[in-house]
Structures are given as structure tokens and as C-alpha cells.
Amino acid sequence: MNHPIIPIAVQAASRERKRQGPKGRRASPQGLQQVRELLGQASRQRDLLIEHLHKIQDCFGHLSADHLAALAEEMKLPQTAVYEVATFYHHFDVVKEGQAAPAPLTVRVCDGLSCEMAGAQSLLARLPALLGRDVRVIPAPCIGRCEQAPAAVIGQHPIACATVEKVTQAVQAGQTRHEPAPYIEMAAYVADGGYQLLKDCVEGRCDVESVLKTMEGSGLRGLGGAGFPAGRKWRIVRAEAGPRLMAVNIDEGEPGTFKDRHYLERDPHRFLEGMLIAAWAVGIERIYVYLRDEYHGCRALLEKEIARLQAHPPMAHMPNIELRRGAGAYICGEESAMIESIEGKRGMPRLRPPYVAQVGLFGRPTLEHNFETLFWVREILEKGGEWFASHGRHGRKGLRSFSVSGRVKQPGVKLAPAGITIQELIDEYCSGMQNGHRFYGYLPGGASGGILPAQMNDIPLDFDTLQPHGCFIGSAAVIVLSDQDSATAAARNMMKFFQHESCGQCTPCRVGTAKAVSLMDRPKWDLALLADLSRVMRDASICGLGQAAPNPMDCVIKYFPQELA
């Protein structure tokens, strides 16, 4: 209907502009053609936005304003929607109009706690001058290679135990891609009995109820950090009306954690079979696997092995499996933020209820699991729930994969009984402390799990045992400090990480982490103000990031008062 006041000619011109395209920058013909060629025949559906941004970033090394406008036009999205997603994730380099593009090659040096203790700051200080202006050297939050500290990544090629010489030689040799190391491929896995259990389930030799009871009897809990009983979760989601979806979290961004990468690099089909058994038991129609962007080699092997699995499916009516790529956001390890990211949006945690099991991906009931939880499914069902539960020490049950880094002689993933103490873990599984280092303290659960002194070395490491001390085990990322380290410096490193990784959605976390960093940088801590800040962050933050961020700070005040004197 024509507006009675605005002239008809003006209204017609306005309608013509709307027909020509959306408001904002118009993509150039060249930019539009480049984006169309990159996307090819791929779907333009909304949830693939991040995947398409990766294609542009990988091809051109950055995201120009022209390419963002072209992508928005091609996907029929508002430019603001594309821009806000592109600028949310750390691994996208958005170049505004008139800005210079970044250097052709980026070297990321991890400045997480384990890498900082191993000399990361020296690398960051020396590399820029040695590598020249065509190489950008930047600090990066934990990249999941803490046992290889200090770790660096050249393009997509990781450097273990990095030195100036190693990085310089790799850059000069053009080593920018990461090829996976040898692993158990599908043919070898099947030859060793792989997927037979899945076939027994699908073909009726195992029934759903017996599988659920075995999982419940094992006591297996979610191994991503939350620790929710896996068997109970399967029952809850199975009871919801279909269609049901599944989201697998391999975005282990908690500083100190690398267990999922360790297992995935060696035996991917054990995880894939566990995933498909869970999908069968719960009645899942579609599976989304969310892999952190730092794991380039893992992505290459998963793409290859999922393709083989789909070409030779071990079950009729196998759920479709989609591999989705993270983009450098720790917050996406939180289940609802991960779901937002899979849907092609910013990784902002959702308010709950409703819970993901009821309203998850695309509004459907969703079974969300950590990689390692699914990795154990086959062995538990083959050997029985009692076998898994029979392991443990000090009254605890089960096995735990501890990611151990820091001042021990032999860091790495240590499969040990649940409830083992830190002293037992260091002495029996890590060959003791490094020469010249005396045990001083430890982080039992990564950045958010708190810090304890060496004198508290007899606490069983498991779910529910550390909470009375203001800590928790989380994903079992253990970082060991020596008398050459400072708990205060460790807590400061952790808080700076949380400040960097806060999604910014809620004020207590966004402002609280920044305020805490400024207070902790002062020569003398204002203990009353920090306590008040901690209380507000715990009580009012939307998700676990803000709620747990004060843990290291509070532990220093409680257990390391000598450092604050």
C-alpha cells in the first residue's frame, strides 16, 4: 500500500533499491565470483556460515570487507550477521576497509601456563625480528599441546618443544600444513574386531535396555568436565520425542588438556564406534562432531575416516555425520555455546532451562557428549560395567585419563585409577619431578580447577573429592608447579586467559575478569575487593567460565598467603 504522504516516485525508488540487494556494502563482481567459486556446489544454508568463512580465510589468509559482503549476498544473510560471527572468533582475521591485510604467514606461540613455564615469552620476544615482516608472530591461548611445551603453530603446522631454531627452520622450509601421524585406519580396526559390537546392537544380539544398564553400572561420567553420568544422559534424551540429534564436543580448550587429541590421533574408530552405539541406543538421526580448529591433523584424519565409514557403513540407516570446525573460542567448549556455533552463530552460552537434552541443536532434543566419554563405550560394553568400575583407589571407581604437564620428567596422558593422589601420579606415572625442581603446587583441573599446595598431596583426584577445597577435577588437566614457579603468577596467567576468552555476553564475566586482571597485576592485592568480585562473578555469571574464573585467584589467597605477604 502506498503511503499517503510520501510521493509515489520516491516509494518506487525505495522498492527498487530493496530489490537490488540488502543494505550495506555491495560486493564487487570479482569478490562475488571468488566466493562463488570457493563455495562451489556446497549448500548455502545458515548453519554453514562458519564453514564458509573458513574457506575464505584459508584461501586468502584473511576476511576482507568485499568477501564478507559477497558471502552475505550469496547466503542471503544480513551483513551484520556475517560480520558479528566473523569478528567473534579469534582465528578469523577480519580486515576492514582501508586496513592492511595481515602478513601471509602467522606463527602462533602458545602462552598458556605450561608453555609460559617452558619459555614461551622468550620465543615471542625473539621470533619477530628473526622471521621478518612477511611472518606475523602472535601469542595464542592454550593450543592443546601442553606435554610438548613450549608449543607453536606455523600456519597449521604444530612445532613440539619449540625453539627459535626449530621455528625458523620450519618457516624457511615452508612447513605450514599438518599431516596426521600413522594411526589405526578403518581396515585395521575392523580386522581387529572393530564395529562388531555395533553390528550386534543393530542386528538384535544386544538390546537397548541391557546396553543402558551396563553403561549405568559402569559409573562412567562425562569426561569433558561436567561429570554427568553417561548412561543416565542416554535415558533422558531417549525419552524425549524425536527427531533427536547428537553433538560431540572435541573442542578441549581448557588449558592443560590434551587427552582427546592424544586418543583421536591414535585410534579414531574406537571413538566413532562408541558414538554410533550411543546414536543407536538413543535413536539419533543426525550427528555433529565439533572439532577445535587447532587440531588440523585430527581434522584431516577424521575427514578421511568418516568418508570411509560412510562409504562402507557398518550399520543400516547409519546417521549422517557432519564434521564442524571450531574457530578459536574456548567458550565453545560449553555445550550450549558449542551448539550455537554449530548453528553458524556466535558461541554464546544459552540460559537454562530448557536444557540441551530437551531443546538443543536446531530446537531438537540433543545428546551432547565429550570425545573421551564415547571412546570408552566399546570397551565398557565388551568387558562389562563392573570391569570399568573395578578400577580406582582410595574408595573411588573407574579410570581417568590425566593430561599431565608442567615440571614433571615425563608429561603426557596418563591412564590411571580414579582417586589416585597427585603424589602417586607424579611418582608412579611421571617418573618424578624434573631435575632441580621440588614439588610446590598443582592445578588439578586446568585453568578453572583451582590451585593447591604440595602439602595437600593426598587428596583423591576424582569427581566430588576436590570441591570441599574450592577446586574440581574437570577434564583432569593436571599442571604441576615447582619451587621455581609462583602460584600467584599461575593464577594471573589463568585470569588473563579468562579475560581473553570471555564471550562478553554477561557483565559479571566480561567486566569481572578484566577487573580481576588489573587488581592481580598490582604489587599488593586488595583482598577484600577481590573477594567481593569473586562472589559477584560466581553468583551472577551465565555460564561456567565466569563462575569458575575466580578459582585460581581464591586458591592463592587461601593456600599461598606467603606469596601475598
Side-chain angles (χ1 to χ4, degrees), residues 528-549:
L529 186 55
L530 285 171
D532 186 50
L533 182 62
S534 172
R535 188 161 47 250
V536 171
M537 291 174 67
R538 293 180 187 280
D539 292 345
S541 294
I542 288 175
C543 80
L545 191 156
Q547 294 163 9

Side-chain angles (χ1 to χ4, degrees), residues 10-45:
V10 175
Q11 295 178 47
S14 177
R15 286 195 296 270
E16 181 61 27
R17 283 195 296 272
K18 288 180 181 178
R19 282 195 291 269
Q20 288 174 353
K23 293 180 180 180
R25 177 193 171 96
R26 299 300 303 278
S28 70
Q30 180 187 16
L32 196 56
Q33 181 64 25
Q34 288 172 334
V35 168
R36 284 174 177 166
E37 288 178 358
L38 266 180
L39 301 191
Q41 298 301 310
S43 170
R44 270 56 168 176
Q45 65 199 55

Side-chain angles (χ1 to χ4, degrees), residues 357-369:
Q358 303 162 313
V359 182
L361 265 170
F362 309 113
R364 301 308 312 159
T366 302
L367 178 66
E368 190 276 341
H369 262 314

Side-chain angles (χ1 to χ4, degrees), residues 470-481:
C471 300
F472 58 82
I473 193 170
S475 58
V478 177
I479 304 175
V480 179
L481 309 178

Side-chain angles (χ1 to χ4, degrees), residues 477-548:
V478 177
I479 304 175
V480 179
L481 309 178
S482 80
D483 55 349
Q484 298 184 26
D485 303 309
S486 156
T488 305
R492 191 178 294 117
N493 179 287
M494 298 293 97
M495 191 60 76
K496 289 179 179 178
F497 169 81
F498 290 129
Q499 179 189 11
H500 183 264
E501 294 298 324
S502 173
C503 74
Q505 180 177 192
C506 67
T507 302
C509 178
R510 181 185 68 250
V511 177
T513 52
K515 181 65 174 177
V517 167
S518 67
L519 292 172
M520 294 167 73
D521 276 338
R522 295 179 182 177
K524 186 173 180 59
W525 286 13
D526 186 331
L527 301 185
L529 186 55
L530 285 171
D532 186 50
L533 182 62
S534 172
R535 188 161 47 250
V536 171
M537 291 174 67
R538 293 180 187 280
D539 292 345
S541 294
I542 288 175
C543 80
L545 191 156
Q547 294 163 9

